[in-house]
Amino acid sequence: MTAADLIHYSRQVGGMNRVATVINELADEMNPQQLNKTFVKVISLATLQRLGYLLDEILDRKELANQLYKVAMEAKIVFLRIPMVVNAGRKQIVFSKKWQIDNNIKIEIDE
């Protein structure tokens, strides 16, 4: 749940750049099998989409992202088009059709 919690509380922990940096470090320890139907049903839809987008498009953690997407589709979850960050303006940098995310900020990872 830590990765999902970071996404959900991104403003309180320092913003999406910090969240992406920490999740990038956590991803080495994440087990794709823990991304199961129970996981996708207990987190919010927006958190699920944002986590999937970060793993897939920003962090290039395809194995984790693909497992998350697969489980979401098996659970018949329907994604809604949402911004990556609420209240960051309407400027769209990239739209992810897969995750239905309008990435309205530039996300940078501290390495």
Side-chain angles (χ1 to χ4, degrees):
M1 286 294 282
T2 302
D5 292 333
L6 287 167
I7 298 279
H8 185 77
Y9 296 106
S10 62
R11 274 190 280 167
Q12 291 87 340
V13 299
M16 201 55 75
N17 288 333
R18 180 174 300 276
V19 167
T21 298
V22 174
I23 290 176
N24 192 44
E25 294 169 7
L26 289 174
D28 291 331
E29 304 301 320
M30 291 172 70
N31 178 351
Q33 301 315 312
Q34 291 177 330
L35 302 175
N36 55 35
K37 282 187 183 179
T38 302
F39 178 77
V40 300
K41 290 191 178 218
V42 298
I43 64 174
S44 74
L45 177 59
T47 298
L48 170 62
Q49 289 175 243
R50 290 176 179 130
L51 177 59
Y53 178 79
L54 269 182
L55 290 170
D56 201 4
E57 303 293 330
I58 305 299
L59 304 177
D60 198 32
R61 303 293 186 141
K62 301 295 186 193
E63 181 182 8
L64 293 168
N66 290 338
Q67 174 67 14
L68 190 60
Y69 187 80
K70 176 182 158 214
V71 171
M73 294 301 104
E74 288 171 356
K76 302 199 183 320
I77 293 172
V78 177
F79 294 156
L80 304 173
R81 190 170 183 165
I82 61 169
M84 187 64 181
V85 176
V86 177
N87 298 327
R90 293 182 166 256
K91 185 175 120 181
Q92 176 183 326
I93 296 172
V94 175
F95 174 69
S96 169
K97 186 173 182 178
K98 178 179 180 179
W99 297 103
Q100 291 294 300
I101 292 284
D102 278 317
N103 188 2
N104 54 348
I105 62 166
K106 183 170 173 45
I107 300 174
E108 297 177 346
I109 308 162
D110 295 335
E111 296 197 49

